Amino acid sequence: MLTLLELLKDGRFHSGQALGGALGVSRSAVWKQLQQLESDLGLSIHKVRGRGYQLAVPLMLLNSVDIREQSKDCPWTVLVFDSIDSTNAEALRSIELGAQAPFLVLAERQMAGRGRRGRKWVSPFAENLYYSLVLRVDGGMRQLEGLSLVVGLAVMQTLRQFGIVGVGLKWPNDVLVGPKKIAGILLELVGDPADVCHIVLGVGINVNMQKTDEVDQQWTSMRLESGLQVDRNQLVARLNMMLKAYLARHQLQGFASIQEEWEQNHLWQGRAVSLVAGVNKIDGIVMGIDQQGALRLKVDGIESVYSGGELSLRLRDDS
Ligand code: BTN
């Protein structure tokens, strides 16, 4: 099926006969496959008598060779899936099967993309980036301190390289443009965090998506912000290099060396917020983060620190 897509991705017209010839199947088999592409992947295909078939929008598909070429300092194995439940889930399965880290799992779409706090991550075909980098950590807990915040910073800097203006961070690891989410990060860990473990750095970036009814919060994409279509292979390569640099700094100097830079890019610094954990809510003022990446919140005049995967921040109406 993807072979047919490979033939069509240039956005030009291809006759049924030419497509059938290239794939070694009949014209009616081509027709069936085209219908499948439309229904399975949600793609729109023009069918014009006498000219053939053309994708309504040309596609740039992910390509592991291209990515390796463009990020030569990151010699990680790159696995690209056409369709998968979740790149994080696939990464965890590969770890179980003994795959050697570091390695990278990418997909054109996710059928069960997962976000923080049990939410789903909307993952249409060939539009966005679904990226899971697997690392082996054997330096103990210190190597994990503030790690998800470091990933957020690397994603933010990568987006700036692509000319996205006004991009910043929201604790713990949302990447926003103003009030709109452009990227999210989900870290998952297996093994013993105090000894040897594997960590999956899951990154979702809204890249070329221009509309969807499925996202239940304010969102934007690189395309909507810049007006330009983004080459996702180039994006992966730049993210690889940025992450590699930040991870090396984190490993050598610890999160304390990154804390200030993170705070400078925190869009909600000094804002009046509610910290939400399930049905519980604490109102306070954001003071910043500590040397482990925990949130410093002033509540009734007293500063306290908060951390945990289930926590999230909301702006208060009076801020
Ligand atoms: C969030 O809720 O903000 C985190 C979203 C993380 C989404 C990414 S997409 C790649 C990886 N695979 C997943 O299933 N989730 C993460």
Side-chain angles (χ1 to χ4, degrees):
M1 186 106 117
L2 207 67
T3 331
L4 177 57
L5 205 53
E6 288 285 345
L7 295 170
L8 287 172
K9 74 178 185 190
D10 57 9
R12 296 190 180 167
F13 272 103
H14 297 262
S15 71
Q17 194 175 7
L19 291 171
L23 297 173
V25 298
S26 67
R27 284 168 64 175
S28 67
V30 168
W31 174 252
K32 268 195 203 138
Q33 285 193 28
L34 287 164
Q35 283 179 314
Q36 236 174 312
L37 279 183
E38 286 188 306
S39 60
D40 287 3
L41 305 181
L43 296 172
S44 172
I45 298 169
H46 296 149
K47 305 166 186 89
V48 178
R49 198 183 284 269
R51 296 191 72 188
Y53 308 104
Q54 178 196 42
L55 276 181
V57 182
L59 283 179
M60 279 193 280
L61 296 175
L62 293 168
N63 182 307
S64 58
V65 177
D66 240 31
I67 292 168
R68 291 281 301 262
E69 277 283 299
Q70 292 188 61
S71 49
K72 282 217 159 69
D73 293 345
C74 306
W76 308 328
T77 304
V78 181
L79 306 167
V80 179
F81 292 83
D82 306 336
S83 180
I84 197 106
D85 50 354
S86 145
T87 53
N88 269 25
E90 176 60 27
L92 291 168
R93 286 191 291 267
S94 301
I95 296 166
E96 285 296 310
L97 291 172
Q100 289 300 304
F103 63 93
L104 180 59
V105 183
L106 304 170
E108 293 291 4
R109 76 164 167 179
Q110 298 184 117
M111 304 304 284
R114 46 205 202 204
R116 287 182 66 234
R117 297 178 293 119
R119 295 169 76 140
K120 84 168 187 183
W121 187 257
V122 173
S123 309
F125 184 82
E127 291 191 16
N128 296 329
L129 189 62
Y130 320 117
Y131 173 112
S132 298
L133 176 65
V134 180
L135 302 174
R136 184 189 141 111
V137 178
D138 40 19
M141 297 291 253
R142 221 180 137 252
Q143 297 290 314
L144 301 171
E145 275 172 12
L147 189 55
S148 70
L149 282 73
V150 173
V151 177
L153 207 45
V155 171
M156 183 202 75
Q157 298 291 15
T158 307
L159 295 182
R160 285 196 185 150
Q161 283 190 343
F162 279 81
I164 309 300
V165 178
V167 62
L169 302 165
K170 175 193 150 194
W171 188 88
N173 43 27
D174 283 349
V175 184
L176 307 179
V177 178
K180 298 176 188 167
K181 186 152 166 170
I182 193 165
I185 288 142
L186 179 68
L187 262 57
E188 297 190 66
L189 184 146
V190 275
D192 180 356
D195 186 15
V196 178
C197 65
H198 284 87
I199 183 112
V200 180
L201 311 179
V203 177
I205 303 180
N206 296 334
V207 184
N208 291 317
M209 184 163 76
Q210 298 195 78
K211 57 174 195 269
T212 174
D213 300 329
E214 288 186 73
V215 180
D216 59 1
Q217 57 184 320
Q218 290 194 75
W219 67 274
T220 188
S221 68
M222 297 174 75
R223 173 81 186 255
L224 288 174
E225 292 302 314
S226 67
L228 300 171
Q229 182 164 21
V230 175
D231 174 344
R232 290 174 305 141
N233 293 313
Q234 190 185 21
L235 177 62
V236 173
R238 294 226 186 141
L239 179 58
N240 282 348
M241 293 187 286
M242 191 65 81
L243 258 176
K244 187 167 183 250
Y246 271 101
L247 291 171
R249 198 169 129 199
H250 182 248
Q251 190 176 19
L252 284 174
Q253 300 166 30
F255 183 70
S257 70
I258 298 171
Q259 176 192 2
E260 195 180 322
E261 184 185 341
W262 195 92
E263 282 182 340
Q264 281 164 358
N265 289 288
H266 192 203
L267 295 171
W268 289 14
Q269 201 72 4
R271 303 289 299 264
V273 296
S274 296
L275 180 65
V276 181
V279 290
N280 301 314
K281 185 169 87 91
I282 301 165
D283 289 344
I285 307 290
V286 175
M287 305 308 291
I289 52 171
D290 72 5
Q291 296 205 341
Q292 283 77 43
L295 181 74
R296 295 190 291 119
L297 203 62
K298 194 175 254 182
V299 180
D300 296 331
I302 297 167
E303 192 175 301
S304 304
V305 289
Y306 299 88
S307 62
E310 293 307 305
L311 298 176
S312 79
L313 284 183
R314 314 257 159 84
L315 280 180
R316 261 169 32 217
D317 298 341
D318 54 341
S319 71

